[in-house]
C-alpha cells in the first residue's frame, strides 16, 4: 500500500513546474510518468517505438519530437550516450532535481524514466540524512516484490553530480547491478549496465526491525523516523562496486 510520502498523481500529459512535486518530506512527490527536466520544468515522455530513442517529448506546444532530437536541439547528449542509474529515493522528485542544479551545479536536461523493478526495493536505512535529519532510502533485494522506481539516463558529468549528492565512498557506493533483467522501462525495454547507489557503511545499511527490512512503500517518513532496530549485515544485491569511472562495457 502506497503512503503519502510516495506521492504520485494521475498520469501527467502536459509540462509541469518542478514546484508541483515538492521534495519534502523525503522522498518527495513524483509524477506518474517518465519525464525530462530542464530549467525548472518537467516535460512528460511518451513511449514510441517508431523513434530512434523510443520516446517522444510532450512539449506543450503542439509538437512531440523524438527525445533524442529534443536533447540534441538543447545541446545535450542523446539517450544512447547516457548511462542508466537507478533512482529509488528523492532523485525521482522533480524539485530535488532542481535542488541539484542550485546546490551541486547539475547542468543539462535530466532524463528520468519510470521503470518496474522486480526483486529490488527501496527500504529505510539505519542512518539519517546529514543535511536535514530525515531517514533516507537504501536499496535491498526483496524476493517476490515489484516496485515502481526510475532510471536517470545520466551523462558522465551528471553522474558525478549524483556521486557528490550521495556521498559516494562515504555513505553510498556506486555499483553495477548484475541482474538488470529485473528492470523494465515503461516502453517495454530492458536496460543493461544499470548503475545504482547502495550502502557503503554500516550506518547507511538497511534497517532491520524484528529481523526484517522496512520498505519505504509501506511506511512514511514521519513513522520511519521512529523506527528502532539494527543495521543489516548486507543488502542481498547481486552487484559489483565500481572503482573510478564506470567502463563502457
Amino acid at each position: 500500500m502506497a503512503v503519502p510520502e510516495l506521492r504520485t498523481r494521475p498520469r501527467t500529459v502536459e509540462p509541469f513546474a518542478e514546484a508541483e512535486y515538492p521534495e519534502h518530506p523525503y522522498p518527495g512527490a513524483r509524477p506518474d510518468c517518465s519525464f525530462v527536466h530542464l530549467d525548472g520544468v518537467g516535460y512528460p515522455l511518451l513511449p514510441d517505438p517508431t523513434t530512434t530513442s523510443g520516446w517522444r517529448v510532450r512539449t506543450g506546444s503542439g509538437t512531440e519530437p523524438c527525445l533524442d532530437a529534443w536533447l540534441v536541439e538543447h545541446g545535450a547528449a542523446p539517450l544512447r550516450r547516457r548511462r542508466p542509474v537507478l533512482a529509488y529515493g528523492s532523485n525521482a522528485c522533480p524539485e530535488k532535481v532542481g535542488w541539484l542544479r542550485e546546490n551541486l551545479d547539475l547542468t543539462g536536461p535530466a532524463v528520468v524514466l519510470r521503470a518496474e523493478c522486480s526483486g529490488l526495493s527501496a527500504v529505510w536505512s539505519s542512518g539519517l540524512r546529514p543535511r536535514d535529519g530525515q531517514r533516507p532510502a537504501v536499496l535491498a533485494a526483496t524476493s517476490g516484490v515489484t516496485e515502481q522506481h526510475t532510471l536517470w539516463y545520466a551523462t558522465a558529468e551528471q553522474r558525478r553530480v549524483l556521486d557528490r549528492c550521495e556521498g559516494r565512498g562515504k555513505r553510498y557506493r556506486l555499483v553495477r547491478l548484475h541482474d538488470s533483467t529485473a528492470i523494465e522501462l515503461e516502453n517495454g525495454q530492458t536496460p543493461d549496465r544499470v548503475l545504482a547507489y547502495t550502502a557503503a557503511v554500516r550506518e547507511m545499511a538497511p534497517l532491520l526491525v524484528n529481523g526484517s527490512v522496512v520498505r519505504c512503500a509501506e511506511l512514511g517518513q514521519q513513522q520511519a523516523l521512529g523506527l528502532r532496530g539494527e543495521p543489516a549485515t548486507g543488502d542481498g544485491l547481486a552487484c559489483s562496486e565500481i572503482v573510478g569511472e564506470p567502463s563502457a562495457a
Side-chain angles (χ1 to χ4, degrees), residues 6 30 86 88 114-123 137-140 142 144-150 182-184 213-218:
L6 294 176
R30 60 197 64 180
L86 182 62
Y88 53 86
R114 273 169 54 94
E116 186 175 87
C117 303
S118 300
L120 301 171
S121 288
V123 302
V138 71
L139 195 65
T142 49
V145 174
T146 298
E147 295 184 351
Q148 289 286 339
H149 294 299
T150 64
I183 301 174
E184 183 176 312
V213 297
V214 181
R215 293 170 56 221
C216 299
E218 296 176 333

Side-chain angles (χ1 to χ4, degrees), residues 228-245:
R228 297 293 180 268
E230 297 293 333
T233 57
D235 52 30
L237 297 169
C239 64
S240 54
E241 184 173 5
I242 293 173
V243 178
E245 287 293 302

Side-chain angles (χ1 to χ4, degrees), residues 22-220:
E23 180 187 359
H24 296 286
Y26 181 99
R30 60 197 64 180
D32 189 16
C33 67
S34 299
F35 65 95
V36 58
H37 178 284
L38 184 65
D39 296 332
V41 178
Y43 299 91
L45 298 176
L46 309 176
D48 186 343
T50 68
T51 64
T52 57
S53 65
W55 303 88
R56 289 194 179 276
V57 184
R58 188 84 173 192
T59 64
S61 63
T63 62
E64 295 180 355
C66 169
L67 174 60
D68 276 353
W70 188 92
L71 289 169
V72 171
E73 180 183 345
H74 287 81
L79 208 59
R80 66 182 179 276
R81 289 171 49 197
R82 294 165 178 257
R83 187 73 178 267
V85 183
L86 182 62
Y88 53 86
S90 63
N91 290 331
C93 171
E95 192 173 67
K96 169 63 179 298
V97 180
W99 184 92
L100 292 171
R101 296 189 189 282
E102 294 176 5
N103 293 274
L104 294 180
D105 298 323
L106 178 75
T107 59
V111 179
V112 185
L113 305 183
R114 273 169 54 94
E116 186 175 87
C117 303
S118 300
L120 301 171
S121 288
V123 302
W124 293 116
S125 73
S126 297
L128 302 181
R129 196 161 68 165
R131 70 181 173 98
D132 58 13
Q134 296 191 86
R135 191 181 296 279
V138 71
L139 195 65
T142 49
S143 178
V145 174
T146 298
E147 295 184 351
Q148 289 286 339
H149 294 299
T150 64
L151 292 180
W152 261 63
Y153 271 73
T155 64
E157 293 79 8
Q158 290 176 336
R159 199 224 68 249
R160 285 191 282 269
V161 169
L162 294 177
D163 281 353
R164 298 199 302 275
C165 177
E166 302 302 327
R168 181 182 176 187
K170 298 177 181 179
R171 301 190 305 275
Y172 291 86
R173 58 182 186 143
L174 182 66
V175 305
R176 177 174 175 175
L177 298 175
H178 291 169
D179 187 10
S180 59
T181 57
I183 301 174
E184 183 176 312
L185 297 173
E186 284 189 309
N187 64 357
Q189 294 180 344
T190 300
D192 59 5
R193 302 185 301 119
V194 176
L195 305 177
Y197 292 93
T198 64
V201 293
R202 175 180 168 84
E203 289 77 15
M204 299 309 295
L207 180 69
L208 297 182
V209 178
N210 296 324
S212 299
V213 297
V214 181
R215 293 170 56 221
C216 299
E218 296 176 333
L219 196 69

